[in-house]
């Protein structure tokens, strides 16, 4: 009964539009124009629905990526509903709509089969939450680092630090190693390693390197220990002895930075600060070199000279005559 009433309303509306149209306009053109009008209204109506429901959905769903996906689904639903109404205006029944849709879906499915993997992996990305919109991530195998701009069912868009966009299908990014610098805690631990000579004072080098690192901007100078899982690490910079190498003692300074957005700048500043303080304190960096030491147990170096007979160089007959003539050039005895 509801369908008949709805159909009656649509018929009355169509008859009203036909009455307003000139007599020379075919009835089919009126139906097409009315269907197009419904599609246009549905397109703008989908935007209005998304705008009205966006705030409520965002409050209930904390993740921006899932919120955007739900809003896209809402908009697609509204557009699909208007398409069905437009098809009904044109006189297409459910079977007539389903048959071409099925055929087209089969053809598109063959061509777009690789996208199915991206869609499935997109669901895993949204459910596993390896990263979120606004997080700073790095794709380790390609070296791309930047901020997540958008996450859809098909792809992830990254705004790199080089001011470029990278769109990676979810089927590919789900199989790569991704480092998330913004997960839960933005504090990131960095390290720098170097060698000092054996002649340098080890304790001075350790103390100076820690003090120099502590004075760099964006480096956490101190405070309570930072907890990672069940372990706790000192927040202030620490210098440890790694090994005794061939050329010197290897030291490593570990430090925490407040934000991961300028890692290269902070690491460079730490390198420069340590070098400047080492120059003031007389600590020398080691480099590969070899010392030859001779003492009483080294023995005596022996040098021998070997005389070698030079092979006669071939000369012309004229030169031989000059030699026989005692250099007078006459050739007579």
């Amino acid at each position: 009964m509801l369908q008949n009433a709805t159909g009656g309303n649509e018929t009355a509306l169509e008859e009203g539009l036909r009455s307003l149209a000139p007599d020379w306009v075919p009835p089919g053109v009126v139906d097409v124009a009315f269907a197009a009008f419904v599609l246009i209204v549905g397109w703008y109506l989908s935007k209005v629905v998304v705008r009205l429901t966006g705030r409520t959905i965002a409050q209930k769903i904390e993740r921006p990526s899932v919120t955007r996906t739900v809003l896209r689904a809402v908009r697609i639903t509204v557009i699909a509903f208007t398409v069905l109404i437009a098809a009904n205006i044109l006189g297409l029944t459910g079977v007539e709509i389903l048959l071409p849709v099925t055929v087209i879906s089969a053809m598109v499915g063959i061509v777009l089969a690789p996208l199915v993997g991206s869609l499935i992996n997109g669901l895993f990305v949204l459910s596993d939450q390896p990263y979120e919109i606004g997080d700073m991530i790095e794709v380790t195998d390609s070296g791309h680092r930047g901020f997540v701009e958008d996450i859809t069912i098909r792809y992830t868009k990254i705004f790199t630090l080089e001011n470029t966009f990278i769109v990676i299908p979810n089927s590919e990014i789900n199989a790569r190693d991704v480092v998330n610098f913004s997960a839960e805690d933005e504090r990131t631990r960095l390290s720098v390693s170097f060698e000092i000579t054996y002649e340098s004072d080890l304790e001075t080098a350790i103390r100076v390197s820690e003090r120099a690192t502590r004075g760099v901007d964006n480096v956490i100078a101190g405070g309570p220990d930072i907890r990672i899982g069940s372990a706790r690490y000192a927040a202030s910079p620490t210098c440890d002895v790694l090994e005794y190498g061939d050329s010197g003692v290897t030291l490593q300074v570990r430090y925490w930075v407040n934000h991961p957005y300028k890692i290269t700048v902070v690491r460079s500043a730490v390198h420069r600060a340590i070098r400047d303080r080492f120059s003031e304190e007389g600590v020398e960096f080691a480099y590969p070199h070899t010392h030859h030491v001779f003492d009483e147990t080294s023995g005596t170096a022996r040098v021998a000279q070997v005389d070698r007979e030079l092979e006669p160089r071939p000369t012309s007959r004229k030169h031989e005559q000059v030699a026989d003539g005692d250099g007078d050039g006459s050739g007579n005895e």
Side-chain angles (χ1 to χ4, degrees):
M1 182 175 181
L2 181 61
Q3 293 179 355
N4 294 333
T6 305
N9 293 334
E10 291 177 354
T11 304
L13 183 58
E14 291 176 3
E15 292 178 355
L17 292 176
R18 290 192 185 98
S19 62
L20 295 177
D23 297 335
W24 53 269
V25 178
V29 176
V30 177
D31 294 339
V32 172
F34 183 51
F37 174 76
V38 169
L39 292 177
I40 295 174
V41 172
W43 177 266
Y44 287 99
L45 181 62
S46 64
K47 293 184 177 182
V48 174
V49 171
V50 169
R51 185 176 301 175
L52 294 177
T53 61
R55 184 181 298 273
T56 303
I57 295 176
Q59 292 176 353
K60 294 183 178 181
I61 303 176
E62 297 180 355
R63 298 187 58 198
S65 58
V66 179
T67 301
R68 293 188 182 183
T69 303
V70 173
L71 292 178
R72 291 190 184 100
V74 171
R75 186 176 183 184
I76 292 174
T77 302
V78 175
I79 294 176
F81 183 72
T82 57
V83 170
L84 292 177
I85 296 176
N88 191 15
I89 294 173
L90 296 176
L92 299 177
T93 62
V95 177
E96 294 175 348
I97 297 175
L98 183 61
L99 182 61
V101 168
T102 304
V103 175
I104 295 174
S105 300
M107 297 176 60
V108 172
I110 298 175
V111 178
L112 302 180
L115 292 179
V116 177
S118 296
L119 296 177
I120 296 175
N121 285 278
L123 295 177
F124 282 111
V125 170
L126 293 175
S127 60
D128 295 340
Q129 305 180 13
Y131 47 82
E132 188 51 73
I133 295 176
D135 289 351
M136 180 178 178
I137 65 173
E138 179 182 2
V139 183
T140 56
D141 58 349
S142 59
H144 297 301
R145 181 185 300 175
F147 298 92
V148 179
E149 182 71 16
D150 193 10
I151 303 174
T152 66
I153 296 294
R154 295 184 297 107
Y155 61 83
T156 297
K157 183 185 292 186
I158 302 174
F159 187 54
T160 67
L161 300 182
E162 288 76 20
N163 198 26
T164 57
F165 275 107
I166 297 179
V167 178
I168 304 178
N170 291 325
S171 59
E172 296 184 9
I173 197 170
N174 198 30
R176 297 184 178 182
D177 294 332
V178 178
V179 179
N180 191 345
F181 294 95
S182 304
E184 297 182 358
D185 192 349
E186 290 187 346
R187 293 176 297 183
T188 305
R189 196 179 192 185
L190 304 177
S191 63
V192 54
S193 301
F194 50 87
E195 288 188 359
I196 62 172
T197 60
Y198 284 102
E199 293 77 14
S200 300
D201 186 83
L202 181 59
E203 297 300 327
T204 301
I206 293 175
R207 184 181 68 258
V208 168
S209 58
E210 291 178 350
R211 186 178 301 173
T213 306
R214 196 179 298 113
V216 176
D217 294 337
N218 202 30
V219 173
I220 300 177
D225 294 341
I226 298 176
R227 182 175 181 179
I228 301 179
S230 59
R232 293 181 179 273
Y233 298 92
S236 60
T238 58
C239 181
D240 302 315
V241 179
L242 292 186
E243 63 178 355
Y244 293 96
D246 297 334
S247 302
V249 182
T250 303
L251 303 180
Q252 184 182 56
V253 179
R254 297 181 180 180
Y255 56 96
W256 294 86
V257 295
N258 290 313
H259 306 288
Y261 311 129
K262 297 181 179 180
I263 290 179
T264 303
V265 176
V266 176
R267 183 181 286 114
S268 176
V270 170
H271 278 275
R272 297 174 60 182
I274 293 176
R275 179 181 176 85
D276 295 340
R277 294 300 299 270
F278 276 12
S279 299
E280 298 175 359
E281 299 293 338
V283 179
E284 296 181 356
F285 288 101
Y287 57 91
H289 59 280
T290 304
H291 289 284
H292 296 282
V293 180
F294 296 95
D295 54 13
E296 64 276 2
T297 63
S298 301
T300 304
R302 297 182 180 180
V303 180
Q305 181 178 0
V306 179
D307 295 334
R308 296 181 180 179
E309 295 183 357
L310 298 178
E311 296 180 359
R313 187 171 59 181
T315 58
S316 62
R317 183 175 299 275
K318 181 178 180 180
H319 291 166
E320 293 178 354
Q321 293 177 355
V322 172
D324 293 338
D326 295 334
D328 57 357
S330 62
N332 297 327
E333 295 181 359

